Amino acid sequence: MKKIMKISNLFKEKKVVYSFEIFPPKVNDDIGKIYDALSDIKETRPDYISITYSAGGSKNSRTKEIAEIVKKNYGIEPLAHLTCINSSREEVSAALQGLKDIGAENVLALRGDRIDGEVKTDFAYASDLVEFIRERSNMDIGGACYPEGHPESANMVEDIRNLKRKVDAGVTHLNSQLFFDNDDYLRYLDMVRLAGIDVPIQAGIMPLVKASQFGGIVKMTGAKLPSKISRMYNRFADDPTALTEAGIAYATDQIIDLLSSGVDGIHLYIMNNAYVAKRITENIQPIIDKLNCVAKNIKV
Ligand code: FAD
């Protein structure tokens, strides 16, 4: 049986932690598709796979189910996401118990996005959820951070101050929002470290491989699009193969630059696309292996 593993231990063992994010299919969609993708992804040996929760406001109960399969059938550590803003304490407590029941060692604590018409007020911020979980379990608790600032924040100083509150409440590592300009991310890291936030932070990278992503998820996050990406889109939007290849190349280049800059890890938003995950992993795995090997030598 695979040993139980906390993500904080991965950061102690490795110089670079490499993980993927997937999302559960919609309630009426075929769940088999995600397992087909996981069968392919398994070969790429990510350190863990995170599974989103109720993203976009749908009450999606498949996160726990998929987390359990990821752990038991694929032998990969899951990081189940959990949101709180639209839930009561009882609902969050039940969701947390569900994760304990499957032996989850890690949870990503999020506020979630507001849903029109939902009026629950038990949790205002992710830091409230972090405290809630910390009082009830010894799981590792991940949190989200925003290299370009959270869209609701008045400014970066305020956002980082709030991030510090969240980390102080018990967060053990952070996963960043997607971004396309590494200089923004590296500047952000400097600010976060200066603010005394010293937990490991993984850079969130989303390969842009479909035209629909530009107007969808990217627009939703408000991420800045460098002109290099805009040119790529303008040139290849109507050529799916060319856009996929260009998107894989851009993400690979971005990751190599981040690894060169000494980041703690890469969290790849693979959007359930096993082909993209495999191609990018093939490109960067030798570098990650080398870095992790060097780290081992340093630590003995
Ligand atoms: P918080 O950390 O609570 O921050 C939200 C805002 O409140 C920020 O502007 C912050 O500065 C401010 N704030 C925080 N604390 C305080 C305070 N004490 N006083 C005043 N202001 C404060 N959404 C989903 O629905 N499901 C998912 O699975 C999911 N996964 C995600 C994974 C990652 C890695 C990321 C980056 C985002 C994810 N999201 C997900 C989206 C996320 O829920 C939204 O971005 C949401 O708007 C904020 O969540 P948070 O946990 O960062 O909130």
Side-chain angles (χ1 to χ4, degrees):
M1 210 176 103
K2 197 171 183 290
K3 66 173 180 167
I4 294 170
M5 194 173 49
K6 288 193 168 177
I7 288 172
S8 57
N9 288 334
L10 283 173
F11 287 103
K12 287 177 198 149
E13 287 164 14
K14 297 183 168 214
K15 189 110 180 146
V16 177
V17 170
Y18 179 54
S19 56
F20 298 156
E21 178 176 301
I22 59 171
F23 60 88
K26 292 197 180 94
V27 177
N28 295 326
D29 286 355
D30 175 15
I31 198 161
K33 274 191 197 161
I34 190 75
Y35 298 134
D36 291 345
L38 282 166
S39 297
D40 283 351
I41 290 165
K42 183 181 169 221
E43 308 308 324
T44 61
R45 299 181 290 116
D47 287 315
Y48 70 87
I49 291 183
S50 85
I51 306 112
T52 64
Y53 183 85
S54 300
S58 65
K59 289 277 175 190
N60 196 327
S61 60
R62 288 172 149 181
T63 304
K64 183 186 87 166
E65 180 186 343
I66 295 173
E68 187 173 22
I69 299 279
V70 165
K71 193 175 179 84
K72 292 197 175 141
N73 295 17
Y74 298 93
I76 301 170
E77 200 58 31
L79 170 63
H81 296 202
L82 183 58
T83 63
C84 61
I85 185 131
N86 304 304
S87 305
S88 65
R89 288 169 73 85
E90 291 69 30
E91 285 167 330
V92 170
S93 188
L96 187 61
Q97 186 56 49
L99 294 180
K100 287 181 188 169
D101 292 345
I102 62 163
E105 284 287 295
N106 308 284
V107 60
L108 187 69
L110 299 145
R111 188 197 70 178
D113 287 318
R114 294 197 173 86
I115 303 174
D116 289 344
E118 291 272 352
V119 287
K120 289 174 186 147
T121 53
D122 286 357
F123 301 89
Y125 302 110
S127 53
D128 301 330
L129 177 61
V130 174
E131 271 172 28
F132 186 88
I133 299 171
R134 191 46 76 229
E135 283 164 9
R136 289 160 180 80
S137 97
N138 67 352
M139 282 184 198
D140 268 3
I141 307 174
C145 65
Y146 299 82
E148 296 178 52
H150 185 268
E152 289 167 32
S153 275
N155 55 58
M156 194 61 103
V157 173
E158 184 187 281
D159 203 35
I160 293 179
R161 203 172 279 146
N162 291 330
L163 181 66
K164 174 93 169 72
R165 286 198 185 108
K166 181 160 70 176
V167 172
D168 288 348
V171 162
T172 42
H173 83 277
L174 292 165
N175 285 353
S176 95
Q177 180 60 284
L178 59 91
F179 61 91
F180 302 100
D181 185 333
N182 287 355
D183 288 342
D184 285 345
Y185 184 74
L186 297 172
R187 247 190 318 272
Y188 176 72
L189 275 190
D190 285 346
M191 288 189 274
V192 164
R193 297 310 185 202
L194 271 173
I197 296 168
D198 54 10
V199 295
I201 307 178
Q202 277 178 265
I205 300 297
M206 176 180 280
L208 287 179
V209 293
K210 279 190 183 164
S212 59
Q213 289 173 320
F214 288 77
I217 183 104
V218 173
K219 203 168 175 193
M220 204 172 88
T221 61
K224 193 176 86 190
L225 285 181
S227 47
K228 194 171 167 182
I229 293 231
S230 301
R231 282 196 294 274
M232 193 176 100
Y233 174 77
N234 292 337
R235 183 76 171 164
F236 304 127
D238 58 357
D239 183 338
T241 306
L243 188 59
T244 299
E245 292 308 312
I248 289 171
Y250 189 95
T252 300
D253 185 50
Q254 211 188 340
I255 293 169
I256 291 172
D257 182 47
L258 289 166
L259 294 175
S260 309
S261 309
V263 297
D264 297 322
I266 304 292
H267 189 59
L268 205 59
Y269 294 103
I270 61 168
M271 307 303 289
N272 299 356
N273 188 328
Y275 173 76
V276 170
K278 281 164 79 172
R279 287 284 312 281
I280 291 180
T281 305
E282 275 165 22
N283 292 342
I284 62 167
Q285 192 72 61
I287 300 173
I288 290 184
D289 285 349
K290 181 82 172 68
L291 286 169
N292 283 334
C293 210
V294 169
K296 259 185 211 155
N297 291 340
I298 288 168
K299 281 180 184 170
V300 239

